[in-house]
Amino acid sequence: MTTDIAAIILAAGMGTRMKSDLHKVLHPIAGRPMLLHLVDAFDAAGAREKVVVVGARREQVEAAVAPLGARIAPQDEQLGTAHAALMAKDALAGFDGVVVVAFGDTPFLTAATIARMVERLAGDDAPRVAVLGFRPDDAKAYGRIIADRDGAIAKMVEFKDASDDERAVTLCNSGVTAVRAADLWPLLERVGNDNAAGEYYLPDIVMLALADGDRAVVVETDADEVIGINSRAELAYAEARWQTARRDAAMAAGVTLIAPETVWFAYDTAIGRDVTIEPNVFFGPGVTIADRVTIHAYSHIEGAQVGEGAEVGPYARLRPGAVLGEKSKVGNFVEVKKATLGKGAKANHLTYLGDAEIGAGANIGAGTITCNYDGFFKYRTVVGEGAFIGSNSALVAPVTIGAGAIVGAGSTVTQDVEADALRLVRPDQATRPGWAKRFREMMAAKKAAK
C-alpha cells in the first residue's frame, strides 16, 4: 500500500548570518537555489503536497516555488519551529497521509531518506513520530536525542535546555520529522513555550507523544545529508561537498576528469561516456554533453548542447543557446551564444558567434565576429555548408553566406553572398617607397626642435 506524503518546508527565518538581501534558502548550490534541491527530493519521493512556510522576504520565496506547484503558508511572527509547522494546517486540510517537516536550508535530504522515515511509521511497533538523527564530528549546539539501541526515543532536548550529561550524547536532532497528519496537528497545538528561548519547539511533539504512552523513534543518517546552511562559509562547504560527490559520480559513469577538484558541475549537467574534461572547466545550468567529447582547460559552458565527438576549448565560452554538432570544434578564445554549428564545422580561434547558424563543414577563420546587435535589436547570421570565412572578418547581420562561398580575410560583409562565390571587401593596396623613412625623419626633427 502506497502512503501519501506531504512536505512542510520551513523557510520563514531571516537568515541574518548570510549578510544578504537574498533569502537564505535561495542561495544556490550547483547553480540551483538550496530550497529547490529540497523540493526536488520531495518530488522524487512522491510527495503529493508541498507547503512552504514563509516569513521574511516571503515574496522571493513565493516566486521561486510557485512554478513548482508548492503552496505558501505565511508565518507572520517567528515564534518557533512548532508554530511554523502549524501554519501549514489550512493548506493541508483534508490530507490524511504522512507529513514530513523539513527545513529549507538543508538541501541534501534525499528521497530515499524521506521514504525510510515514512516507512518507519508503518513499522510493527507503530511509532507515532519518527525523527531524523545524525552523529556529527562536532555536536555543537544541536538538540540531543536520547534513544536506546533499537532507536526508541526516551527524550529529546534542545541544547539550551540540556544538562551536561545530555550534551555529552552524540546523537543529534536534524529537525526533520515525520508524523501522520491526523496526529501532527493535535500535537502541534499542545506544544508550549516554557523553555529558555520562549519558543514553540517542533521536537516537543516527541515528548508529548511519549507522555501519551506512544512511541517515538529515530532514523539515523549521515551528518552531511542534514547539514544546515546559515552562513557563506557553510554554503561554500555545502558546494564543495556536492561537487565532490558529483565528480565521483561522473568518473564512475565513464567520464575522465584530469584534475577532478578543478571541475565544477551544475545540478543538471548531463555528460555522456568517454568524455574527457581537462582542468578548470566550469559548467553552468542547462548543459548536455554527448559521448566522446573533449573539453579542454579553462572553458566555461552554460545552457549549451555539445554533440558527439565535438571538441571545445581551451579557453572557450559556450553561452545559452549554443549547439555544437557532431565532431564540430570550438577552439581557444571562441565565444558562442545562441548559435548552432553543424557537423564538422570549426571555429578554432578568437571568434564570436552570436545568433548564428553555421553549416556543416564550414570553417570560421580567426578573429571573425557576427555583428548581431545594433543597439536595439538582435539579428541572425547564416553561414552555409562548406563555406570558408577568412580571418578577421565581420559578418554584419542579418546576412547569409551561401554554401561553399569564400569570404576573404579582413572583409566586412553587409550583403548576402551567393553559394560558391568569393566576397572580398578590402581597399586597394598601395605602396609608397621610402615614405616610412621620410616620416620618421620628419617627426624626429620636430621633436628635436622643441
Side-chain angles (χ1 to χ4, degrees):
M1 178 178 174
T2 302
T3 302
D4 284 338
I5 302 171
I8 298 177
I9 300 174
L10 307 185
M14 285 290 292
T16 53
R17 288 170 57 193
M18 278 293 199
K19 303 290 193 297
S20 177
D21 293 330
L22 180 67
H23 196 290
K24 176 177 71 171
V25 300
L26 300 182
H27 282 263
I29 295 171
R32 186 164 177 79
M34 66 175 86
L35 172 62
L36 302 194
H37 282 274
L38 183 59
V39 171
D40 290 344
F42 275 108
D43 284 339
R48 198 182 85 188
E49 302 283 353
K50 300 180 292 290
V51 181
V52 181
V53 180
V54 297
R57 301 190 179 100
R58 59 174 290 179
E59 69 285 350
Q60 295 182 8
V61 179
E62 289 183 50
V65 301
L68 304 179
R71 301 186 187 186
I72 294 295
Q75 184 190 23
D76 296 327
E77 291 184 274
Q78 277 71 67
L79 302 178
T81 51
H83 178 260
L86 188 58
M87 297 300 99
K89 181 179 179 180
D90 289 344
L92 292 177
F95 179 81
D96 61 358
V98 172
V99 178
V100 179
V101 184
F103 294 83
D105 64 353
T106 54
F108 296 149
L109 182 67
T110 66
T113 295
I114 294 168
R116 282 201 297 135
M117 296 188 69
V118 173
E119 290 168 4
R120 186 64 186 86
L121 286 181
D124 293 338
D125 54 347
R128 195 173 179 191
V129 182
V131 176
L132 189 61
F134 65 106
R135 298 180 188 272
D137 293 334
D138 181 356
K140 300 178 182 178
Y142 291 112
R144 301 303 202 265
I145 301 174
I146 314 301
D148 64 21
R149 292 182 178 180
D150 296 326
I153 297 174
K155 183 179 181 181
M156 289 181 62
V157 59
E158 292 295 321
F159 181 83
K160 295 176 183 178
D161 303 307
S163 67
D164 289 342
D165 287 343
E166 290 166 342
R167 290 180 179 183
V169 172
T170 60
L171 183 59
C172 296
N173 174 27
S174 72
V176 181
T177 307
V179 193
R180 297 173 191 84
D183 293 325
L184 177 62
W185 312 121
L187 287 170
L188 289 174
E189 288 167 348
R190 290 165 56 194
V191 172
N193 65 343
D194 184 14
N195 52 61
E199 293 188 352
Y200 298 88
Y201 288 140
L202 178 63
D204 284 357
I205 67 173
V206 170
M207 302 310 298
L208 291 170
L210 295 177
D212 291 342
D214 293 313
R215 286 174 59 83
V217 295
V218 60
V219 175
E220 289 195 45
T221 192
D222 181 78
D224 268 358
E225 184 178 350
V226 289
I227 55 173
I229 300 171
N230 297 292
S231 67
R232 306 282 182 155
E234 291 172 348
L235 181 66
Y237 173 82
E239 180 75 37
R241 184 256 190 199
W242 190 96
Q243 293 293 339
T244 296
R246 182 64 182 87
R247 292 162 189 152
D248 290 345
M251 291 186 287
V255 178
T256 295
L257 304 181
I258 304 300
E261 69 280 4
T262 70
V263 176
W264 295 80
F265 293 108
Y267 71 97
D268 60 350
T269 307
I271 305 180
R273 294 180 62 180
D274 293 317
V275 171
T276 297
I277 303 175
E278 293 183 354
N280 297 296
V281 172
F282 183 91
F283 295 95
V287 175
T288 300
I289 307 294
D291 294 345
R292 289 175 288 283
V293 168
T294 298
I295 302 174
H296 294 290
Y298 295 98
S299 294
H300 188 290
I301 305 174
E302 180 177 1
Q305 299 178 39
V306 180
E308 183 174 342
E311 189 172 349
V312 179
Y315 295 96
R317 184 181 182 195
L318 303 184
R319 292 170 55 193
V323 179
L324 274 56
E326 180 183 351
K327 295 184 178 179
S328 61
K329 183 177 180 181
V330 167
N332 50 286
F333 303 104
V334 174
E335 179 178 349
V336 182
K337 188 274 300 184
K338 202 175 180 181
T340 299
L341 274 69
K343 181 178 180 180
K346 297 178 181 179
N348 283 326
H349 323 280
L350 304 162
T351 292
Y352 171 69
L353 299 174
D355 298 280
E357 180 182 340
I358 311 301
N363 188 92
I364 309 298
T368 295
I369 61 172
T370 57
C371 306
N372 58 329
Y373 184 51
D374 65 2
F376 297 92
F377 301 102
K378 297 289 182 68
Y379 303 93
R380 192 162 181 78
T381 297
V382 177
V383 177
E385 293 187 6
F388 183 95
I389 310 300
S391 297
N392 200 34
S393 294
L395 308 181
V396 183
V399 69
T400 297
I401 311 299
I406 296 176
V407 173
S411 295
T412 299
V413 181
T414 59
Q415 298 178 353
D416 291 352
V417 180
E418 65 186 59
D420 296 317
L422 169 65
R423 173 66 57 85
L424 293 172
V425 188
R426 302 175 186 157
D428 291 336
Q429 296 189 30
T431 302
R432 299 179 182 180
W435 185 92
K437 181 180 179 182
R438 293 192 298 272
F439 174 77
R440 288 192 296 269
E441 290 172 347
M442 178 184 67
M443 297 307 292
K446 285 184 178 180
K447 186 173 183 180
K450 287 187 177 181

